[in-house]
């Protein structure tokens, strides 16, 4: 069965459509620092408005623990969405309470409302099916149809992602459809050479995807905090760098498997080693097998890939036809450790083929480093979701919309 599209819902004029978006954007003191997910949600909103629907948007933000928490209010998101739409967005201060009911009742055809954070309600993320079901039923009572478009959250079995889609006529929005088009090109018949670049801090988070991708890719480039577990697997000392000692054996297994499959796992040959964690740390470039031979000794902390590694990674990326990148190469938030991430991003903008930036952190990184979205083949709005898709996992929020991998 294929993904149900908005057309399958029939005429929407005058109907109230609940629209699940992932408007989980980074905020600093109430100010949105990357509005990529809001911008990515606009086309579906505009389509539904154009179809004459009353559009009632629901989303989560952050991980509040099932109760209202001002720090995770969607109010700033409503304001930004209104700017982007060039039209008012009515904001309800609750999700299934009196304000939401009144806001939905007063919404004109073609009007847009955003309800407060779904996760202020324990039913949204409850582990109990019955509790999620009960919350989803209250949400369903607000609308006539449901459009699911929060790609970043389709790997979660949560009330507004899964149960709600079973209670109303439901379909996927255009963002989910667009994300799947691209991710399918990565899983079905990627143009070769196909390179995957993995960074970020935790090896254990990415192990599933490494195992699943090894038989499919030509090269796997390893950066970020997890590179040190790979170096340790090759017998190198890593000083005070991030290390997941319990993953070393698994990583050794992957190195052997890659050799057998003829896949190139490209590991850093040099790293930027710092005296401590901080933008004002002393730092220098050391060979990957000499991290403890710097003046910092065993206290040396690897915080980025080195320049030789950056150049090598950039070469591999530029000569690939398909590249998927998830996870920063270093601590890009601190200027002295941003060069590796910047080099990977720059190379991705130069490829003659499909370059995909997967996920929250990597997307935020390319924008923080002042790249423009249009320079990349695709920037996915889902980090965990796109990785789980590439791992070949079943994603509840897609299956419930008719998707089968
Ligand atoms: C994300 O940012 O990863 C998505 O919005 C999902 O959020 P979650 O990881 O808190 O479920
Ligand atoms: Mg997440």
């Amino acid at each position: 069965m294929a993904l149900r599209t908005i057309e399958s819902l029939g005429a929407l004029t005058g109907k109230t459509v609940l629209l699940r978006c992932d408007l989980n954007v980074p905020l600093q003191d109430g100010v949105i620092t990357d509005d990529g997910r809001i911008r990515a949600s606009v086309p579906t909103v505009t389509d539904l408005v154009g179809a004459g629907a009353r559009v009632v948007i629901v989303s989560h933000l952050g991980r509040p623990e099932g109760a209202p928490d001002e720090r995770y209010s969607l109010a700033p998101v409503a304001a930004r969405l209104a700017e982007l739409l060039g039209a008012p967005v009515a904001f309800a201060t609750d999700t299934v309470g009196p304000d939401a009911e009144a806001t939905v009742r007063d919404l004109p055809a073609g009007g847009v409302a955003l309800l407060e954070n779904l996760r202020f309600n324990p039913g949204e993320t409850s582990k109990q099916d019955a509790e999620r079901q009960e919350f989803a039923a209250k949400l369903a009572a607000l609308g006539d149809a449901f459009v699911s478009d929060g790609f970043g959250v389709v790997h979660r079995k949560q009330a507004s992602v899964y149960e709600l889609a079973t209670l109303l006529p439901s379909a996927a929005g255009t963002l989910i459809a667009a994300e799947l088009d691209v991710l399918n090109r990565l899983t079905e018949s990627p143009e070769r050479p196909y390179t995957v670049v993995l960074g970020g801090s935790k090896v254990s988070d990415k192990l599933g995807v490494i195992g699943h991708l090894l038989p499919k890719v030509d090269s796997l480039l390893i950066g970020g905090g997890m590179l040190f577990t790979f170096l340790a697997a090759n017998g190198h000392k890593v000083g005070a760098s991030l290390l997941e000692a319990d993953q070393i054996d698994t990583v050794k297994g992957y190195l052997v498997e890659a050799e057998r499959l003829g896949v190139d796992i490209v590991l850093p040959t040099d790293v930027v080693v710092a005296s401590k964690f901080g933008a004002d740390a002393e730092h220098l470039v050391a060979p990957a097998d000499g991290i403890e031979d710097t003046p910092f000794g065993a206290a040396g902390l690897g915080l980025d890939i080195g320049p030789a590694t950056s150049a090598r990674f950039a070469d591999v990326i530029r000569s690939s036809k398909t590249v998927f990148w998830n996870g920063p190469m270093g601590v890009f938030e601190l200027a002295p450790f941003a060069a590796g991430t910047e080099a990977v991003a720059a190379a991705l903008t130069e490829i003659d083929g499909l370059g995909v930036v997967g996920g929250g952190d990597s997307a935020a990184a390319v924008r923080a480093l002042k790249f423009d979205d249009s320079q990349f083949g695709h920037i996915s709005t889902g980090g965990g979701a796109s990785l789980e898709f590439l791992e070949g996992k079943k994603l509840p929020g897609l299956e419930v919309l008719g998707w089968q991998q």
Side-chain angles (χ1 to χ4, degrees), residues 67-127:
D69 182 335
E70 206 39 48
R71 291 171 301 167
Y72 300 107
S73 173
L74 279 166
V77 172
R80 181 69 187 127
L81 180 62
E83 280 171 18
L84 290 167
L85 289 171
V89 172
F91 181 67
T93 55
D94 56 24
T95 318
V96 289
D99 198 42
E101 272 168 37
T103 304
V104 173
R105 187 181 344 105
D106 296 345
L107 200 64
V112 179
L114 173 63
L115 308 185
E116 185 54 289
N117 196 336
L118 288 157
R119 292 185 183 174
F120 287 179
N121 305 273
E124 170 67 0
T125 54
S126 174
K127 297 268 176 285

Side-chain angles (χ1 to χ4, degrees), residues 219-362:
S219 302
L220 186 58
L221 314 186
I222 304 287
M226 68 173 170
L227 76 87
F228 302 100
T229 305
F230 277 82
L231 294 182
N234 276 340
H236 303 317
K237 294 196 171 134
V238 298
S241 312
L242 266 184
L243 173 66
E244 288 188 69
D246 58 337
Q247 303 293 339
I248 290 176
D249 282 342
T250 313
V251 167
K252 280 184 183 163
Y254 283 139
L255 292 170
V256 171
E257 177 70 357
E259 180 96 44
R260 191 183 68 80
L261 292 167
V263 172
D264 219 4
I265 294 192
V266 186
L267 296 178
T269 52
D270 61 347
V271 292
V272 180
V273 182
S275 56
K276 60 168 188 175
F277 190 96
D280 60 343
E282 278 181 69
H283 55 91
L284 46 78
V285 175
D289 59 359
I291 293 177
E292 295 195 0
D293 302 333
T294 75
F296 317 128
L301 186 61
L303 293 182
D304 195 11
I305 57 175
T309 303
S310 290
R312 172 102 195 277
F313 281 14
D315 275 348
V316 177
I317 291 168
R318 277 193 297 258
S319 57
S320 300
K321 285 282 180 196
T322 308
V323 179
F324 175 79
W325 170 36
N326 181 290
M329 296 294 100
V331 187
F332 73 93
E333 298 91 338
L334 306 178
F337 313 110
T341 303
E342 193 161 8
V344 163
L348 208 60
T349 66
E350 289 165 18
I351 74 166
D352 172 23
L354 174 65
V356 179
V357 181
D361 285 353
S362 329

Side-chain angles (χ1 to χ4, degrees), residues 35-95:
D35 66 359
R37 280 179 165 164
I38 309 178
R39 283 186 280 122
S41 302
V42 164
T44 298
V45 178
T46 310
D47 281 359
L48 293 173
V49 166
R54 298 182 168 82
V55 186
V56 178
I57 304 172
V58 292
S59 176
H60 71 289
L61 190 147
R63 294 180 177 173
E65 314 225 316
D69 182 335
E70 206 39 48
R71 291 171 301 167
Y72 300 107
S73 173
L74 279 166
V77 172
R80 181 69 187 127
L81 180 62
E83 280 171 18
L84 290 167
L85 289 171
V89 172
F91 181 67
T93 55
D94 56 24
T95 318

Side-chain angles (χ1 to χ4, degrees), residues 135-202:
F135 179 58
K138 289 183 188 161
L139 286 171
L142 294 169
D144 306 307
F146 175 55
V147 172
S148 185
D149 210 26
F151 178 73
V153 81
V154 291
H155 57 317
R156 306 282 184 222
K157 194 170 187 184
Q158 297 180 344
S160 68
V161 180
Y162 186 79
E163 281 80 9
L164 181 55
T166 67
L167 296 174
L168 287 174
S170 61
T174 56
L175 175 61
I176 285 192
E179 295 268 16
L180 291 180
D181 269 353
V182 174
L183 292 177
N184 260 334
R185 285 165 67 188
L186 298 181
T187 47
E188 264 154 31
S189 46
E191 241 196 294
R192 294 186 177 278
Y194 177 19
T195 295
V196 170
V197 190
L198 292 179
S201 52
K202 283 194 164 174

